[in-house]
């Protein structure tokens, strides 16, 4: 019965026209949206409505959560889910946003956290980190895409780098391709264009690869064509074919010789059950 009423509520929402200010924000934040075909554009707008209206949003530690902030974050989730079914983010229930990088009381490194995804359905983000990701749309660094990717990953029940794929036949090539590139990154980090945080585990590899797929698709296709194709088959989009208007395509660089805690992004990850936030 609950599912039926949820379906009716969503159906009513999707019939509503996109508010003019949302459309303006969409076209400004995602200029490539004008190049999308009708299927992807409709998927983008529908997922945007669902994320803004059907998820719980919370500003943490006194942060004022404005509609602009909600829209900017939701647009990144809608961007990545535009080719996916409307229940793609069914596991996601809440988005919590801090006005600054946050720290965790049980973190041995006491480093700033840019984002976390929890298996019970909560995504936590640092707004300054989100702003940095938005400011450099072709850098391959986008904590919103990263954490939303974790929520797609856990749709299968675990943070393991394998979301719920569309067909049973998809799992064998997915596992083979992802394992190959994951092991190659661990063995040859100096040769990889991916952020080295991807070498943490399979879940982080999927999340970082997702960032590259949407922000550096031409680079991903050139250096890891099989990985690009698996992600394209899962997300059901081809970002590489959309002209990019960014002035810079240079990803952030990591130092493979640096200390482990200094390599990659500062501690943002899929969170384990029982983790507490400060």
């Amino acid at each position: 019965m609950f599912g039926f009423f949820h379906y009716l509520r969503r159906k009513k929402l999707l019939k509503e026209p996109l508010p003019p200010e949302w459309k303006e924000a969409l076209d400004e934040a995602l200029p490539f949206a004008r190049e999308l075909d009708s299927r992807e554009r409709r998927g983008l707008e529908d997922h945007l409505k669902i994320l803004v209206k059907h998820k719980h949003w919370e500003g943490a530690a006194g942060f004022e959560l404005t509609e602009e902030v909600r829209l900017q974050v939701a647009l990144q989730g809608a961007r990545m889910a535009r080719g996916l079914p409307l229940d793609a983010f069914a596991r996601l229930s809440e988005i919590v946003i801090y006005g600054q990088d946050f720290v965790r009381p049980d973190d041995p490194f006491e480093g700033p956290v840019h984002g976390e995804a929890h298996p019970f359905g909560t995504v936590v983000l640092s707004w300054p980190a989100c702003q940095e990701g938005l400011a450099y749309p072709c850098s391959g660094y986008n904590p919103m895409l990263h954490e939303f990717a974790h929520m797609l990953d856990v749709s299968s029940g675990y943070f393991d780098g394998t979301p719920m794929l569309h067909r049973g036949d998809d799992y064998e090539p997915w596992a083979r391709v992802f394992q190959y590139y994951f092991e190659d990154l661990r063995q040859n980090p100096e040769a990889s264009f991916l952020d080295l945080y991807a070498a943490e585990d399979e879940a982080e590899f999927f999340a970082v690869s997702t960032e590259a797929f949407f922000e550096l698709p031409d680079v991903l296709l050139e250096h890891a064509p099989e990985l690009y194709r698996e992600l394209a088959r899962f997300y059901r989009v081809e970002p590489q074919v959309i002209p990019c208007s960014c002035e810079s395509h240079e990803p952030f660089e990591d130092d493979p010789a640096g200390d482990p805690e200094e390599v990659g992004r500062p501690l943002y990850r899929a969170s384990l059950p029982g983790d507490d936030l400060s």
Side-chain angles (χ1 to χ4, degrees):
M1 183 63 71
F2 175 79
F4 177 70
F5 282 115
H6 175 77
Y7 166 78
L8 291 180
R9 182 168 169 252
R10 188 175 71 184
K11 185 177 181 181
K12 179 182 178 182
L13 172 67
L14 297 182
K15 285 183 177 180
E16 297 175 1
L18 202 68
E21 61 272 21
W22 288 26
K23 185 179 185 301
E24 183 179 349
L26 189 160
D27 290 332
E28 182 177 348
L30 306 175
F32 65 83
R34 301 183 182 92
E35 307 291 334
L36 299 178
D37 60 32
S38 58
R39 178 188 68 88
E40 287 190 37
R41 178 73 186 207
R42 176 65 181 272
L44 179 62
E45 294 185 2
D46 285 351
H47 277 287
L48 177 62
K49 294 175 185 177
I50 292 170
L51 286 169
V52 174
K53 294 292 188 180
H54 284 187
K55 307 300 178 182
H56 177 72
W57 294 78
E58 188 76 35
F63 179 63
E64 181 182 358
L65 191 58
T66 64
E67 182 176 80
E68 179 185 1
V69 171
R70 287 196 296 268
L71 274 176
Q72 292 301 321
V73 173
L75 277 167
Q76 297 302 308
R79 167 191 184 183
M80 68 189 294
R82 64 183 186 261
L84 297 177
L86 294 177
D87 61 353
F89 286 121
R91 192 69 178 258
L92 173 64
S93 59
E94 180 182 46
I95 300 102
V96 177
I97 304 180
Y98 280 80
Q100 66 283 324
D101 292 347
F102 49 97
V103 296
R104 311 178 79 261
D106 59 344
D107 176 14
F109 300 110
E110 298 183 352
V113 181
H114 291 181
E116 285 186 338
H118 294 262
F120 48 79
T122 297
V123 158
V124 187
L125 292 164
S126 154
W127 179 236
C130 293
Q131 289 178 302
E132 183 178 350
L134 293 170
Y136 301 96
C138 291
S139 67
Y141 169 73
N142 186 312
M144 295 159 285
L145 293 179
H146 187 104
E147 301 307 332
F148 283 131
H150 280 317
M151 294 312 302
L152 295 177
D153 185 8
V154 82
S155 66
S156 63
Y158 305 94
F159 289 120
D160 60 3
T162 302
M164 189 77 72
L165 303 180
H166 303 296
R167 303 182 308 159
D169 292 346
D170 294 340
Y171 286 93
E172 188 279 329
W174 178 281
R176 173 170 43 81
V177 169
F178 269 75
Q179 192 63 32
Y180 171 81
Y181 284 104
F182 177 61
E183 293 298 334
D184 184 63
L185 173 63
R186 285 192 154 187
Q187 294 172 17
N188 305 288
E190 70 285 347
S192 177
F193 72 95
L194 286 176
D195 188 297
L196 297 185
Y197 194 61
E200 288 285 307
D201 54 40
E202 289 84 352
E204 298 303 346
F205 185 81
F206 169 61
V208 172
S209 296
T210 289
E211 292 175 88
F213 178 69
F214 285 102
E215 296 216 326
L216 296 164
D218 50 343
V219 180
L220 183 65
L221 182 61
E222 177 184 356
H223 292 277
E226 296 87 355
L227 182 60
Y228 175 92
R229 283 194 285 270
E230 286 303 312
L231 288 165
R233 180 160 58 174
F234 170 66
Y235 284 109
R236 293 178 170 172
V237 297
E238 288 273 2
Q240 189 271 335
V241 304
I242 302 172
C244 179
S245 59
C246 297
E247 295 181 359
S248 173
H249 288 68
E250 293 300 321
F252 294 153
E253 294 184 358
D254 289 319
D255 179 11
D259 293 334
E261 62 267 26
E262 297 299 328
V263 175
R265 301 169 196 143
L267 295 174
Y268 82 152
R269 60 191 177 89
S271 180
L272 298 175
D275 284 350
D276 295 319
L277 297 176
S278 63

